[in-house]
Amino acid sequence: MKIKDSILEHFQEQNQKYQIDRINLAKSLNIAENEYQLLFKALNILEKEQLLRRHKNGMYQAFDGEQFAVGVIRTHRKGFGFVTIEGEADDLFVGVDLVNGAMDGDTVLVKKIVDQQNPGKFAAMVVEIKEHANKTLVGEVAAFNTKYLRILLDNSNYLGDVFVKKIGNEHLIQGQKVVVLPKDFLVTGKIIADVIEIIGHRDDPGVDIVSIVKKFDIPLEFPVEIQKILHEIPLEVEQTACEGRTDLQQRQIVTIDGADAKDLDDAISLIELENGNFMLGVHIADVSNYVKPESPIDREALSRGTSIYLADRVIPMLPQQLSNGVCSLNPDVVRLCVSCDMEIDATGKVVQSTIYRSYIKSAARMTYKDVNAIIEKTDEDLLVTYQNFLELFTNMEQLAKILASKRHTRGSLDFDLNEAKIVVDDMGRAIDVSIRERGVSEHIIEQFMIEANEAIATVFADNAWPFIYRIHAKPKENKIELFCEVAKHLGIPTKKLREATDLQPKILQDILTDISGMPEHSLLSTLLLRTMQKAEYATTNIGHFGLAAKNYTHFTSPIRRYPDLMVHRLIIDFIIEKTITEAEFARMLVTLADIAKMTSKSERTAIECEREVNSMKMAEYMEQHMGETFKGIISGVSNSGIFVELPNMVEGHVPMETLTDDFYQYHEGQLLLRGRRTSREFIMGNAIEVELTYANKKAAIIRFKVVGMKIDSFNERRTQGNFQKGGNANRQGGNRRDGNRPSGTRSTGQPQNDGNRRDGNRPNGTRSTGQPKNDGNRKWESSKWNTQYWATPKRWKSPRWESSKWNTQYWATPKRWKSPIWRTSKWNTQYWATPK
């Protein structure tokens, strides 16, 4: 029996609380000393597989999946967090006091506990930090005391303090951005760290973006080892490299990309056959010819996973000598490719396909803008210059329409998403934010790339060969239920969606078609998009829900995506050379699964980095437009207010406390705010005019207020002259609290001015008062009506939190307190109670 199986059998024979260390376990299993290494290795594997858990004291215990789980925590700047556990539908909430030093993105072991706020559901507490998401942290140097410098972290979601010793860091100055390596994680939440890199001063050009890149631990430069071997890579394709490949130099092949693109990894050929079908050729740069498995460049490419496109730079997956040089399908030069020829009939069906190695010579380097102008016949000069390509572009447009129609028929979802384009000046400062234009040519290339990806994936799926698929799971039921609830409120029928036992994309597509042109179209299409799960890489093929495709992969961008490079290697091994042995077949199944997991994670990191850079640059751009008014749409609604997106995709927040013309309540099931008195509604997708009131580049925050928002006379006392800049509430003078009960009557709680008394509301409107003696000892008190509060004697300076059965929550404030404190009631009455 294997040691691993013996260990599991041993734990199964014990009770759930049984614990044992490695040495005693070895004795129990009669394992000889010369086999200890095998035992330790097996224990590590069982721990990784979550069959055993190891305590900090070195004791092992059987893992209870019902009570404990491993997941990734996402923390909020207010201190709480949510843990995502693979395979579980809902995230687990982690309270502020239960995060236990975990940082945003950490892999943690949590214990499931009953959620006090949501009976019947689970929350969690962090038991152990299994792995920190970032080995390094990024922050700004600030003075602290004579012994330490404080590092103000860029990651605002971590509330702990980070310090470095002044000794040895005398050269650091305030305002410098640095990378630090945590050395000691103290139980108090503080971190003692070492400075390992100085990025530059916060005001230096480009430091803002570099700081974000470093925060995600993304390398900017390639290792010296790779720099040394780049000279071995030829600048141009050598004749010997073309041997055994199909010569396509005589074909009319073009590349179509953005004007600023330098890594051209896909080219297109297209002819109409005598039988009326089209022969579409998709020719992709053969990166695998230059990047060999397990080579230094390959290992670096795998660790990066993908190229990252930021506002002012590209962080490439491969060195520029490859990505912009010999691999890039530049015009009028020979380049190596992996080609896929597909014969497609009038219905869009692929009649036959051929996949092979080739070498090409691109006839033209076209841009999307120029091809759009040629197809739309808006530029006479371009029509003359490219008159030999007019038939090619006409056929491209025709075939793209056929393919789009085929996908629409089977249910492919097209949300036609806009993309923001941020323009920066020579100093890296954002000077414009606009929508990236998409025309006919962008649509053409998209359709052709999808067709090639499907064709490749289908060959591997039909043969059951090891492969990396691009998969997209069905939406989660709870999100579909929320969508149906909102649609029902708007009068949109969703019976077919509600009753679907096997949800198909065609059902969602029909809804998009039904609401097209309706006022609610923007709201529902946005909400429908948010029901979608994230696409990822996997070796198990479940299809691509969004594209309504049974088989899909990424084959067309090996210069900037590692999974595409792996797909090319698999094509060569299984289709072209057919050299795979049975042993290699089995090894690939494991290797590809690891690669799929790694590259999916790299993709998510790249997306988060790009979003954070965009948010920061958008806030920087909006800093120049303070006080200006804009027209936009409501892109989100929550109990904190509304989110507004401008036509250029800049999004900002309208805080709840600025909605002063009424008391607004959040209706989660309908995703709207509704005024209690006026019934005015703020609904996702509605047009709105706002004024920019605050923009902060460092915090990436943009705030608006609704234009024309008045202070209602009913609330005038609550808001008049007391709005606190940057705060989260409206307040009224004095110590009185007036709130509305369900029937419209009022309940009033008035603490005495001596700082010691608390008056609360009983169910019938009567009062219960708790008054301790002035002995200086604070005791927690409760009444029959579950009125819980702190009774505070005069000499106490700090107020204490109070709550009642009716969820009236507030601070009882003694005389000498100067600061108002936030209160909230069950009826969403939010205000400041301010001492005299």
Side-chain angles (χ1 to χ4, degrees), residues 779-791:
K779 300 292 183 182
W780 185 254
E781 302 191 1
S782 64
S783 74
K784 181 179 179 180
W785 308 107
N786 196 26
T787 305
Q788 298 177 320
Y789 59 94
W790 281 98

Side-chain angles (χ1 to χ4, degrees), residues 676-726:
R676 251 192 311 175
R677 189 178 60 82
T678 63
S679 295
R680 180 180 181 180
E681 293 181 337
F682 292 98
I683 308 174
M684 279 181 59
N686 281 7
I688 193 170
E689 186 173 6
V690 292
E691 177 186 333
L692 178 64
T693 59
Y694 181 73
N696 185 298
K697 169 188 173 181
K698 184 178 180 180
I701 291 175
I702 298 170
R703 290 200 189 109
F704 297 119
K705 72 175 182 180
V706 178
V707 171
M709 180 64 65
K710 298 178 180 179
I711 300 177
D712 186 80
S713 58
F714 180 76
N715 303 314
E716 189 170 359
R717 284 182 303 154
R718 181 173 66 89
T719 57
Q720 182 176 327
N722 287 310
F723 178 68
Q724 185 177 9
K725 182 180 180 181

Side-chain angles (χ1 to χ4, degrees), residues 164-372:
V164 298
K165 292 180 179 179
K166 276 191 175 181
I167 298 177
N169 292 304
E170 293 85 357
H171 57 290
L172 296 178
I173 61 174
Q174 282 189 251
Q176 279 184 323
K177 302 302 288 290
V178 295
V179 181
V180 299
L181 178 66
K183 186 170 60 175
D184 296 316
F185 291 85
L186 306 182
V187 293
T188 58
K190 294 181 174 61
I191 297 175
I192 307 300
D194 291 332
V195 175
I196 61 173
E197 182 182 351
I198 300 174
I199 301 173
H201 195 273
R202 66 189 176 201
D203 296 328
D204 293 342
V207 167
D208 52 0
I209 290 182
V210 174
S211 296
I212 293 176
V213 172
K214 294 288 184 180
K215 170 185 167 182
F216 286 97
D217 202 20
I218 296 170
L220 285 166
E221 304 296 333
F222 285 90
V224 175
E225 178 188 18
I226 290 178
Q227 299 290 346
K228 289 180 179 179
I229 64 176
L230 285 178
H231 69 276
E232 300 174 4
I233 298 174
L235 298 177
E236 299 295 339
V237 174
E238 298 172 337
Q239 184 59 40
T240 55
C242 297
E243 295 176 2
R245 294 173 177 265
T246 303
D247 182 359
L248 300 181
Q249 292 182 87
Q250 302 308 311
R251 278 201 197 180
Q252 190 180 49
I253 297 176
V254 299
T255 60
I256 306 177
D257 290 274
D260 54 353
K262 295 181 176 60
D263 51 350
L264 314 179
D265 49 13
D266 58 87
I268 299 296
S269 63
L270 182 65
I271 58 173
E272 187 174 5
L273 303 176
E274 292 182 0
N275 61 5
N277 293 344
F278 286 104
M279 180 62 75
L280 171 65
V282 176
H283 314 282
I284 308 300
D286 188 1
V287 176
S288 64
N289 186 78
Y290 302 99
V291 181
K292 302 301 182 182
E294 299 301 324
S295 67
I297 294 179
D298 179 57
R299 289 194 295 269
E300 181 67 16
L302 176 58
S303 69
R304 293 177 178 233
T306 180
S307 296
I308 303 174
Y309 296 84
L310 304 177
D312 67 344
R313 70 194 70 199
V314 176
I315 303 175
M317 184 183 78
L318 298 173
Q320 288 191 358
Q321 188 168 330
L322 287 170
S323 61
N324 296 0
V326 70
C327 289
S328 183
L329 306 183
N330 300 324
D332 302 319
V333 292
V334 174
R335 289 291 185 260
L336 305 182
C337 288
V338 175
S339 296
C340 179
D341 286 343
M342 296 163 282
E343 183 180 348
I344 304 172
D345 65 18
T347 66
K349 179 182 178 181
V350 177
V351 177
Q352 62 175 349
S353 63
T354 309
I355 305 164
Y356 57 97
R357 275 176 158 174
S358 65
Y359 60 98
I360 71 168
K361 185 179 289 187
S362 173
R365 192 271 195 242
M366 304 298 300
T367 66
Y368 291 125
K369 182 178 178 181
D370 286 351
V371 175
N372 289 338

Side-chain angles (χ1 to χ4, degrees), residues 624-811:
Q624 308 161 44
H625 298 276
M626 294 292 295
E628 296 183 21
T629 59
F630 304 88
K631 291 183 178 180
I633 62 168
I634 298 176
S635 56
V637 182
S638 73
N639 56 10
S640 69
I642 61 176
F643 295 87
V644 175
E645 183 181 287
L646 306 185
N648 60 358
M649 294 193 71
V650 170
E651 187 178 61
H653 185 227
V654 179
M656 181 76 83
E657 64 267 18
T658 65
L659 304 177
T660 55
D661 66 341
D662 201 346
F663 285 103
Y664 285 90
Q665 293 177 289
Y666 174 51
H667 297 263
E668 183 176 7
Q670 301 168 11
L671 289 182
L672 59 81
L673 295 181
R674 181 181 294 122
R676 251 192 311 175
R677 189 178 60 82
T678 63
S679 295
R680 180 180 181 180
E681 293 181 337
F682 292 98
I683 308 174
M684 279 181 59
N686 281 7
I688 193 170
E689 186 173 6
V690 292
E691 177 186 333
L692 178 64
T693 59
Y694 181 73
N696 185 298
K697 169 188 173 181
K698 184 178 180 180
I701 291 175
I702 298 170
R703 290 200 189 109
F704 297 119
K705 72 175 182 180
V706 178
V707 171
M709 180 64 65
K710 298 178 180 179
I711 300 177
D712 186 80
S713 58
F714 180 76
N715 303 314
E716 189 170 359
R717 284 182 303 154
R718 181 173 66 89
T719 57
Q720 182 176 327
N722 287 310
F723 178 68
Q724 185 177 9
K725 182 180 180 181
N728 293 318
N730 296 310
R731 58 181 181 170
Q732 76 177 63
N735 294 320
R736 187 171 177 119
R737 180 266 187 201
D738 291 325
N740 297 324
R741 298 175 67 184
S743 62
T745 60
R746 320 236 345 245
S747 61
T748 304
Q750 175 62 54
Q752 295 286 343
N753 255 342
D754 60 3
N756 296 317
R757 181 157 179 161
R758 181 267 184 204
D759 290 325
N761 301 318
R762 293 175 65 183
N764 297 324
T766 61
R767 294 179 148 190
S768 63
T769 303
Q771 177 61 55
K773 293 181 179 180
N774 198 8
D775 59 1
N777 295 317
R778 284 140 302 286
K779 300 292 183 182
W780 185 254
E781 302 191 1
S782 64
S783 74
K784 181 179 179 180
W785 308 107
N786 196 26
T787 305
Q788 298 177 320
Y789 59 94
W790 281 98
T792 309
K794 283 186 178 179
R795 63 195 182 113
W796 254 65
K797 297 180 180 180
S798 300
R800 286 292 179 265
W801 183 249
E802 305 187 357
S803 68
S804 76
K805 183 177 181 180
W806 310 110
N807 201 24
T808 305
Q809 298 177 321
Y810 59 89
W811 284 95

Side-chain angles (χ1 to χ4, degrees), residues 5-14 18 20 24-25 28-29:
D5 295 333
S6 299
I7 296 171
L8 287 176
E9 185 176 307
H10 177 76
F11 275 95
Q12 287 169 0
E13 293 172 353
Q14 313 299 325
Y18 175 75
I20 191 171
N24 286 314
L25 178 62
S28 298
L29 298 177

Side-chain angles (χ1 to χ4, degrees), residues 376-491:
E376 295 167 2
K377 296 182 172 57
T378 58
D379 190 316
E380 292 296 331
D381 292 338
L382 287 174
L383 290 171
V384 173
T385 302
Y386 295 103
Q387 57 183 325
N388 295 333
F389 297 87
L390 297 184
E391 183 180 357
L392 172 65
F393 296 141
T394 300
N395 287 338
M396 282 185 176
E397 182 184 18
Q398 183 179 349
L399 178 58
K401 288 180 179 178
I402 291 173
L403 295 176
S405 177
K406 174 185 72 172
R407 293 194 174 89
H408 182 81
T409 299
R410 74 186 188 195
S412 180
L413 302 174
D414 184 8
F415 293 97
D416 196 21
L417 301 177
N418 288 326
E419 183 182 351
K421 179 180 179 181
I422 299 173
V423 180
V424 298
D425 60 18
D426 295 338
M427 299 296 289
R429 185 173 178 81
I431 57 175
D432 189 27
V433 180
S434 59
I435 294 294
R436 197 178 295 275
E437 295 182 2
R438 282 174 53 87
V440 178
S441 63
E442 286 90 346
H443 177 71
I444 288 172
I445 295 302
E446 180 182 30
Q447 292 297 326
F448 291 173
M449 296 303 107
I450 291 175
E451 197 64 37
N453 287 333
E454 284 192 48
I456 300 293
T458 299
V459 172
F460 278 83
D462 289 347
N463 288 279
W465 291 329
F467 198 56
I468 291 183
Y469 295 93
R470 181 68 169 177
I471 64 169
H472 185 214
K474 294 180 180 181
K476 294 182 179 179
E477 289 185 11
N478 60 336
K479 292 191 175 183
I480 288 294
E481 289 173 2
L482 176 61
F483 171 82
C484 290
E485 194 66 31
V486 176
K488 177 182 177 182
H489 174 69
L490 297 174

